[in-house]
Amino acid sequence: SQQGEEDPQALSIQEGENATMNCSYKTSINNLQWYRQNSGRGLVHLILIRSNEREKHSGRLRVTLDTSKKSSSLLITASRAADTASYFCATDGLTGGGNKLTFGTGTQLKVEL
Amino acid sequence: EAQVTQNPRYLITVTGKKLTVTCSQNMNHEYMSWYRQDPGLGLRQIYYSMNVEVTDKGDVPEGYKVSRKEKRNFPLILESPSPNQTSLYFCASSFRGVSSSPLHFGNGTRLTVT
């Protein structure tokens, strides 16, 4: 079953602009994670935010979490062509026992020069 | 270099011919998992293992087997592959479950079953 749903499905921006992706989920969570995937390659972990946290930063990445709305957002500031990739949110549900991350279908980001 | 290694990278086979996709990690991680990725469906978990000799089903386990005889290895076995198992497969590991540590992914195995 899919827990996270990313929005938009696809996003195209110019280099230097900010990119915002949103994720909504259905059930209560322990944590929410964001991953990046370059075309057909393995996913790379970006940020983990726990259910008791509201915001987290890592370099040009900013993640927010609103558990009351069951939603999260990933902001990439000053985007670069190298940020072109698919971005996935993944949730560790409370009932999962730490056994499973449930992934959304992803946002395809294209950063043009 | 810390990594998750999957082999082979590409595999084309015929219906019914048993195959094994290997996965090995060198980070001494307790938790390992297999996912398949299909267009429009995202990543779906097939099986996971919390430690040696401990495995359990994920969301889509039908048609797959796994084993965890050693901490570093977690092979995925398709006893009788069918065309609906054509997919991109990922092995992943984490230090101890996913509640506190992120997943490290292999580079994937693209399987085609004809």
Side-chain angles (χ1 to χ4, degrees):
Chain A
S1 60
Q2 274 168 235
Q3 169 77 307
E5 294 290 338
E6 288 91 344
D7 172 58
Q9 288 189 325
L11 180 60
S12 183
I13 60 174
Q14 297 295 122
E15 199 171 46
E17 294 180 337
N18 295 343
T20 299
M21 288 158 266
N22 302 297
C23 168
S24 60
Y25 57 91
K26 295 174 184 166
T27 63
S28 297
I29 60 172
N30 289 312
N31 70 60
L32 185 144
Q33 304 180 30
W34 285 91
Y35 288 80
R36 184 187 74 216
Q37 183 182 33
N38 289 90
S39 182
R41 308 289 290 183
L43 283 74
V44 174
H45 179 258
L46 297 175
I47 284 187
L48 182 155
I49 186 166
R50 301 190 188 286
S51 60
N52 61 354
E53 298 175 307
R54 291 297 165 258
E55 189 170 311
K56 208 161 183 180
H57 296 253
S58 176
R60 293 184 296 111
L61 306 180
R62 173 178 165 249
V63 168
T64 61
L65 178 63
D66 186 336
T67 53
S68 67
K69 294 181 179 178
K70 290 187 171 59
S71 67
S72 173
S73 68
L74 170 67
L75 168 68
I76 304 174
T77 60
S79 63
R80 306 165 181 167
D83 294 329
T84 294
S86 292
Y87 292 82
F88 295 86
C89 68
T91 52
D92 168 30
L94 282 181
T95 57
N99 299 332
K100 180 170 76 171
L101 272 185
T102 303
F103 287 81
T105 53
T107 292
Q108 282 188 299
L109 172 65
K110 184 175 182 181
V111 182
E112 300 184 86
L113 294 169
Chain B
E1 181 189 350
Q3 59 186 359
V4 177
T5 303
Q6 290 179 234
N7 281 297
R9 185 89 169 87
Y10 299 92
L11 181 57
I12 301 174
T13 190
V14 295
T15 298
K17 186 176 182 181
K18 181 180 178 179
L19 66 92
T20 300
V21 184
T22 64
C23 175
S24 180
Q25 50 92 6
N26 63 359
M27 295 169 279
N28 202 34
H29 284 172
E30 291 185 356
Y31 177 93
M32 297 185 77
S33 183
W34 278 101
Y35 285 84
R36 61 178 287 175
Q37 184 176 28
D38 301 287
L41 296 176
L43 281 88
R44 294 178 291 167
Q45 190 185 50
I46 303 171
Y47 269 94
Y48 66 91
S49 169
M50 294 297 285
N51 214 325
V52 176
E53 301 292 2
V54 180
T55 63
D56 211 342
K57 297 176 181 178
D59 293 321
V60 288
E62 295 78 21
Y64 305 95
K65 283 176 58 177
V66 292
S67 68
R68 188 93 181 272
K69 293 184 171 60
E70 307 164 281
K71 200 171 189 178
R72 63 183 293 125
N73 295 324
F74 190 45
L76 179 69
I77 302 155
L78 284 73
E79 295 268 1
S80 183
S82 62
N84 65 11
Q85 292 178 298
T86 292
S87 186
L88 180 56
Y89 291 86
F90 289 103
C91 180
S93 71
S94 75
F95 178 62
R96 190 178 294 159
V98 295
S99 289
S100 57
S101 52
L103 284 174
H104 297 255
F105 281 81
N107 277 327
T109 295
R110 189 169 292 280
L111 172 65
T112 302
V113 184
T114 60

